[in-house]
Amino acid sequence: MTEERYAADRRLIAILALLVAVVSVLYIVVGLKSSTWRYALSLRVPRLLAMIVTGAAAAYSTVTFQTLTNNRILTPAIMGLDSLYVLLQSLAVYLFGAGSVVVSDPRLNFLVVIAGMLAFAVVLYNFLYRREERGLAFLLLVGIILGTFFQSGASFIQMVVDPNEFSVLQNRMLASFNNMNTGILWLAGILLVGAMIVIARQLTTLDVLALGREHAINLGVPYDRVVRRLMVVVAVLVSVSTGLVGPLMFLGLLVANLARERLHTYLHRYLLAAAALISILALVGGQFLAERVFNFAAPISVLINLAGGLYFILLLLKESRA
Amino acid sequence: MIELRDVTKKYDGIPVVDRVSLTIEKGTVTSFIGPNGAGKSTLLAIISRLLRQDGGEVIIDGIPIEKWGSSELARRISILKQSNQVNLRLTIRELVSFGRFPYSQGHLTAGDWAAVDQALAYMKLTDIQHKYLHQLSGGQLQRAYIAMVIAQDTDYILLDEPLNNLDMRHAVDIMKTLRALVQDLGKTVVTVIHDINFASCYSDCIVVMDQGRIACSGGPQRIIDRSVLCDVYELDFHIETVNNQRICVYY
């Protein structure tokens, strides 16, 4: 009986993988002309890779974060982590200037900002775990306030800096889907693989963590150490996705919950794979539509945030009734 | 053997558990009783390392609790809290299989599954093992959690208010099971119980706590006594002996 359910889940994951492959090929191939194919490929392949890395990072970070907080509504994005990335970027330009190596070298810049993200992850960890139990509403409120604070801080700094520096910031640092920061693609990919390896070694521990803190400790999980390590991994993953394409408010929430709803299992082995595939499918498929069908008229981030926002409200309503 | 030496826990400077020293013998049922806020649950959480004490020592089988490895200790002592809401889509069998995590880190062997089957049978859950947790009644759910603890197969089993929200029949079932765990499998059971009569009838040792301290401890015959209980609970107790059991009437 249990085996049948797992078989259905495996089938679903296989179908998702197939769809991702099809959409990826479509994204690369459709509209190639014999005269410009080399140039087109040099643009499309890095973009496709960037979307795959971003999608996987967003899904892995959200599913892991939700399991750590035992909550299906909280996501790193809702706790303001990706807005912090933009703030740290702006802060780097403000403090060091656009000409400095910290800003002009995309890889070094990426690493410096990640260091800042890790520091914040530790603070967030302390806030979430060292205090007595807080209600969900309180945590959500804190997240929304932090997110708004980081965003306003970033806009403030962007207004204060020299206009020339601002244009540098806008062009290079504040990535979006139509302006992906493919300069850090390899570095981001390596970080993603590293993070995925750390998570892969904790898959069954994640299953136990989903039972909650007390059960996890009872079953012999070295709770504080494991959670701290995974929070750091989440911060790295958020940096990866935000660094490549900018803040993705609702993507993680959407795909993590879809995976949890569609699959019949609590096993992270399946949940993470399904969420990552749904995420990549949404990004590549969405970008394909946005570029080739809507001719860039509707940015994909708007589409995702629209769908995600509606779903988020639905979830809140459902949770409040439960 | 579990030894507590001057165990203290403070919240905002106010001691909730205040220099408690106690020895819990192997192969017994020990019940903690006392009014709300006496520190019973906190003490149980400290013994099972869910909370860290601010002072004093918890020594399990001769080794201080901090010195134990997480997994190793999880094979020696287990705890079931009163509020163990799990929001996962789990079947009983899957829940019980978590009990084997300290042994196999989630990669269950045939021996682990045998232990799961045994635990299910012991709690008479074999027929409904594929039901989801959210489909269960309160009594079935409590039995499922106890089956998980049995699958964990620890020497010491700690239960925080295992009878909460159970009707009389289910409560008696659970207490009989706990006694059987001690008699048949040689376990040591430590519980927090609010119903004094259950504590009286099923315990080898009763520990009365009041305001973070141990007011007194001993066998039921000695503890279930007017002079002891009236003071702690600030109620007028009437105590009878029925079938050799001490029964309190305080309604």
Side-chain angles (χ1 to χ4, degrees):
Chain A
M1 193 169 169
T2 318
E3 280 311 306
E4 283 165 32
R5 287 193 288 125
Y6 290 162
D9 289 344
R10 274 196 290 270
R11 207 159 41 238
L12 182 65
I13 290 169
I15 292 169
L16 282 171
L18 195 70
L19 282 176
V20 166
V22 168
V23 174
S24 301
V25 170
L26 278 179
Y27 181 79
I28 294 286
V29 172
V30 168
L32 277 187
K33 293 194 189 79
S34 57
S35 53
T36 56
W37 66 272
R38 260 174 206 283
Y39 175 66
L41 279 191
S42 75
L43 282 182
R44 287 181 189 182
V45 171
R47 280 190 161 201
L48 177 68
L49 290 177
M51 284 189 285
I52 291 173
V53 171
T54 303
Y60 266 68
S61 62
T62 309
V63 171
T64 306
F65 189 79
Q66 288 186 340
T67 296
L68 293 184
T69 52
N70 289 111
N71 196 301
R72 280 179 59 178
I73 293 180
L74 289 183
T75 72
I78 286 168
M79 293 308 290
L81 236 63
D82 53 2
S83 309
L84 177 69
Y85 183 90
V86 178
L87 173 64
L88 289 173
Q89 268 313 353
S90 313
L91 213 57
V93 172
Y94 178 68
L95 292 177
F96 303 112
S100 76
V101 74
V102 178
V103 178
S104 62
D105 182 340
R107 290 178 200 89
L108 179 66
N109 168 272
F110 187 51
L111 288 176
V112 167
V113 173
I114 284 185
M117 294 287 285
L118 295 187
F120 180 74
V122 174
V123 174
L124 186 66
Y125 161 80
N126 282 323
F127 181 80
L128 286 177
Y129 290 96
R130 292 287 154 84
R131 307 282 167 113
E132 296 301 302
E133 290 247 324
R134 307 269 200 188
L136 170 63
F138 179 81
L139 281 176
L140 268 177
L141 200 61
V142 168
I144 286 162
I145 289 172
L146 280 181
T148 315
F149 173 72
F150 294 147
Q151 264 168 28
S152 324
S155 343
F156 174 72
I157 289 170
Q158 287 157 24
M159 276 177 225
V160 175
V161 294
D162 181 89
N164 292 321
E165 297 193 332
F166 175 66
S167 71
V168 170
L169 187 68
Q170 199 178 29
N171 257 332
R172 290 266 313 285
M173 306 310 162
L174 305 182
S176 69
F177 275 98
N178 295 329
N179 179 29
M180 290 183 203
N181 188 2
T182 46
I184 58 166
L185 185 56
W186 291 116
L187 188 56
I190 291 167
L191 285 172
L192 171 71
V193 171
M196 283 170 80
I197 289 173
V198 175
I199 290 177
R201 293 174 56 179
Q202 309 273 347
L203 280 176
T204 54
T205 306
L206 275 169
D207 297 337
V208 173
L209 285 173
L211 293 177
R213 175 178 175 274
E214 288 171 347
H215 282 298
I217 294 177
N218 173 45
L219 293 171
V221 173
Y223 188 79
D224 287 342
R225 188 149 46 92
V226 169
V227 169
R228 213 178 309 133
R229 184 186 308 155
L230 288 172
M231 282 298 256
V232 165
V233 171
V234 167
V236 169
L237 287 169
V238 171
S239 307
V240 165
S241 75
T242 317
L244 281 171
V245 304
L248 289 165
M249 191 66 181
F250 286 115
L251 178 71
L253 179 87
L254 194 62
V255 299
N257 278 294
L258 277 177
R260 286 181 196 276
E261 216 137 279
R262 295 312 309 172
L263 297 192
H264 306 91
T265 180
Y266 62 94
L267 290 172
H268 283 75
R269 206 165 358 132
Y270 298 131
L271 285 179
L272 285 165
L277 288 170
I278 296 172
S279 176
I280 295 168
L281 189 64
L283 287 185
V284 180
Q287 187 67 10
F288 177 73
L289 289 179
E291 277 185 28
R292 313 290 155 71
V293 179
F294 297 120
N295 272 322
F296 294 100
I300 174 188
S301 51
V302 171
L303 295 178
I304 288 177
N305 279 348
L306 178 68
L310 287 174
Y311 189 65
F312 181 63
I313 292 169
L314 217 91
L315 264 181
L316 274 181
L317 288 176
K318 224 173 87 180
E319 289 275 315
S320 67
R321 233 180 292 137
Chain B
M1 194 165 72
I2 300 175
E3 287 171 82
L4 309 178
R5 290 192 195 145
D6 285 330
V7 172
T8 302
K9 177 80 188 170
K10 289 178 184 166
Y11 286 122
D12 298 327
I14 300 160
V16 185
V17 173
D18 196 3
R19 280 169 289 146
V20 168
S21 297
L22 181 71
T23 302
I24 297 169
E25 296 293 341
K26 271 200 158 176
T28 57
V29 174
T30 302
S31 298
F32 284 87
I33 63 170
N36 290 331
K40 312 178 294 288
S41 295
T42 309
L43 190 61
L44 217 61
I46 291 171
I47 298 174
S48 56
R49 56 142 165 29
L50 295 182
L51 283 177
R52 229 191 132 80
Q53 72 272 28
D54 297 325
E57 273 190 302
V58 179
I59 299 163
I60 292 170
D61 290 340
I63 301 173
I65 200 164
E66 299 84 11
K67 298 260 161 61
W68 282 91
S70 307
S71 255
E72 226 179 322
L73 191 55
R75 278 173 257 154
R76 200 60 74 95
I77 188 166
S78 55
I79 170 116
L80 192 58
K81 292 275 286 181
Q82 57 198 46
S83 59
N84 36 49
Q85 278 193 342
V86 170
N87 282 327
L88 295 181
R89 225 189 309 190
L90 282 180
T91 62
I92 295 179
R93 188 177 174 75
E94 286 168 335
L95 178 79
V96 175
S97 72
F98 273 113
R100 299 307 292 175
F101 188 81
Y103 298 87
S104 52
Q105 313 302 322
H107 306 284
L108 275 68
T109 63
D112 289 322
W113 284 115
V116 170
D117 286 331
Q118 245 172 20
L120 287 167
Y122 199 87
M123 293 310 291
K124 301 184 189 73
L125 291 165
T126 309
D127 293 341
I128 55 168
Q129 57 176 311
H130 293 297
K131 269 198 171 184
Y132 283 101
L133 296 189
H134 61 84
Q135 299 169 321
L136 303 181
S137 70
Q140 290 171 327
L141 196 59
Q142 189 67 332
R143 269 158 59 209
Y145 280 115
I146 290 178
M148 173 169 126
V149 170
I150 292 175
Q152 201 176 335
D153 194 19
T154 54
D155 293 340
Y156 303 101
I157 300 174
L158 277 49
L159 304 114
D160 193 351
E161 296 189 33
L163 308 183
N164 226 7
N165 299 324
L166 295 185
D167 63 32
M168 276 106 76
R169 187 175 77 86
H170 286 107
V172 169
D173 269 357
I174 297 286
M175 288 314 288
K176 279 188 173 153
T177 307
L178 297 183
R179 270 261 49 117
L181 284 175
V182 171
Q183 252 141 34
D184 305 346
L185 306 176
K187 306 290 183 194
T188 306
V189 171
V190 183
T191 64
V192 168
I193 287 188
H194 269 301
D195 190 318
I196 292 186
N197 290 330
F198 271 115
S200 168
C201 295
Y202 290 97
S203 312
D204 301 303
C205 176
I206 298 177
V207 179
V208 187
M209 286 193 72
D210 191 21
Q211 299 179 9
R213 297 175 189 221
I214 293 179
C216 61
S217 67
Q221 300 295 336
R222 196 166 83 75
I223 297 297
I224 305 302
D225 186 84
R226 265 196 70 124
S227 60
V228 174
L229 296 177
C230 291
D231 233 24
V232 172
Y233 284 98
E234 291 171 353
L235 268 175
D236 195 17
F237 276 84
H238 181 75
I239 294 169
E240 293 273 348
T241 301
V242 182
N243 293 337
N244 252 337
Q245 313 270 28
R246 307 278 274 175
I247 301 295
C248 313
V249 181
Y250 48 88
Y251 300 102

